[in-house]
Amino acid sequence: MSMRKRFYRLAAEALDTYPRVAMVFAEIGVSEMPRHPRMFNVGIREQLMISVAAGLALEGYRPVAHSYTPFVVERPYEQIKLDLGHQDVGAVLVSTGASYDAARSGRTHQAPEDVALLAALPGWTIHVPGHPDEVERLTRAALRRDDRIYIRLSDEENVARVDGDGIVVLRRGSDNAPLVLAVGPALGPTLEATADLDATVAYTATVRPFDAAGLRAVVRGTDVVLVEPYLAGTSSAEVSDALCDRPHRLLALGVRNAEFRHYGEGAEHRAAHGLDALGVRASVDAFLG
């Protein structure tokens, strides 16, 4: 079951399980949901979707808003900033499409800058799960809270889930080996790219708040490679701040800040940005010399 399908199943179940939960959709995904008094479809009006969610939160509900990535983050950004953030009310925003999953629909359905945009606002927890099981764990936890949480779903998935919060070490290298930190669905290509390298490979599905203590605990040498499945450099400052008192070098890999005007498929976009296994390996080899 894909991340998206898993979310719809959880969302339908949550309407019956959690009396405070309310779903606010803007057409996308409505056909997957049951008729329910706390299931709201506002039509193709994403700004209204966020404002309705904020109103529900003010009345004591736990709203969940869902759409494609650019429609849940970029289009209603002012409402996110003011209706949720400035009023200090909570909601769960769940996006689908990630950076380029919907590349066949063109640039309107791509938003590799979503995590950077939300990270620019205070008080957001940002999850980038790499497996449907992680989606379920993170979503269930989010429904029980009252703060502002963003969950980023993707068609790209890792082979298996990773258990644990914060930064989790999956493969440990020698004492001075570089650390390669993969975020969410970037883990699969990262593991393949570094299979024969002396490197410590770690993983995280939560990028805000960033696990600074966890990073400091696993970095042994001076070289750090960050592989994120969205805008390159989104968490560079977090890594540098965590290691500000240590000599270090950072290579930040992610979606390049460039316009690709061909539609194509997700895998083609991933390769064009150097985020497939071959691209990651080439960048790491050049960085390590």
Side-chain angles (χ1 to χ4, degrees):
M1 184 180 294
S2 68
M3 292 190 196
R4 190 175 179 183
K5 288 289 186 182
R6 183 73 68 90
F7 165 69
Y8 290 144
R9 190 185 74 176
L10 283 168
E13 174 191 313
L15 289 170
D16 292 326
T17 305
Y18 302 94
R20 293 178 57 234
V21 166
M23 299 290 162
V24 190
F25 286 23
E27 290 295 345
I28 303 301
V30 170
S31 63
E32 302 283 342
M33 298 296 293
R35 294 178 62 87
H36 193 281
R38 283 180 278 110
M39 173 66 209
F40 301 94
N41 177 21
V42 301
I44 308 175
R45 294 186 290 273
E46 289 82 4
Q47 292 95 329
L48 177 62
M49 175 179 69
I50 299 301
S51 294
V52 168
L56 288 165
L58 285 169
E59 292 298 319
Y61 290 95
R62 182 57 165 161
V64 180
H66 167 69
S67 188
Y68 272 97
T69 313
F71 308 146
V72 80
V73 175
E74 291 180 311
R75 185 171 294 173
Y77 189 69
E78 184 177 13
Q79 284 71 30
I80 293 172
K81 180 179 72 173
L82 299 178
D83 295 357
L84 293 176
H86 193 58
Q87 295 192 113
D88 197 20
V89 293
V92 183
L93 306 186
V94 181
S95 72
T96 188
S99 294
Y100 41 66
D101 288 347
R104 61 190 176 277
S105 297
R107 187 68 171 96
T108 58
H109 284 61
Q110 300 173 38
E113 55 281 335
D114 60 327
V115 173
L117 282 171
L118 284 181
L121 298 176
W124 280 92
T125 294
I126 301 176
H127 298 306
V128 187
H131 189 274
D133 288 353
E134 296 170 24
V135 172
E136 179 156 354
R137 177 175 66 87
L138 294 169
T139 302
R140 289 188 184 280
L143 294 176
R144 294 190 292 266
R145 293 168 56 170
D146 288 301
D147 53 351
R148 293 182 290 281
I149 297 176
Y150 177 50
I151 301 176
R152 189 184 207 257
L153 309 184
S154 174
D155 287 349
E156 296 177 317
E157 297 177 7
N158 300 324
V159 174
R161 72 173 187 264
V162 177
D163 295 322
D165 297 317
I167 292 176
V168 179
V169 174
L170 303 180
R171 182 193 301 152
R172 195 172 291 280
S174 61
D175 284 347
N176 292 314
L179 171 71
V180 183
L181 176 61
V183 175
L187 177 61
T190 300
L191 285 173
E192 183 180 349
T194 59
D196 62 343
L197 287 180
D198 178 17
T200 294
V201 179
Y203 172 81
T204 187
T206 301
V207 292
R208 297 296 186 278
F210 189 81
D211 183 12
L215 181 70
R216 290 177 63 85
V218 299
V219 171
R220 294 178 174 178
T222 58
D223 295 334
V224 178
V225 179
L226 175 65
V227 189
E228 298 179 282
Y230 36 77
L231 189 64
T234 294
S235 295
S236 292
E238 302 292 325
V239 172
S240 294
D241 285 349
L243 302 176
C244 64
D245 59 337
R246 300 185 188 181
H248 66 278
R249 298 194 309 151
L250 172 63
L251 171 66
L253 303 180
V255 177
R256 295 165 181 165
N257 190 12
E259 286 286 349
F260 288 174
R261 293 183 170 86
H262 298 287
Y263 282 52
E265 299 293 333
E268 294 172 306
H269 281 253
R270 187 187 321 126
H273 288 291
L275 291 176
D276 60 351
L278 288 174
V280 172
R281 179 56 181 264
S283 295
V284 171
D285 282 347
F287 177 62
L288 299 178

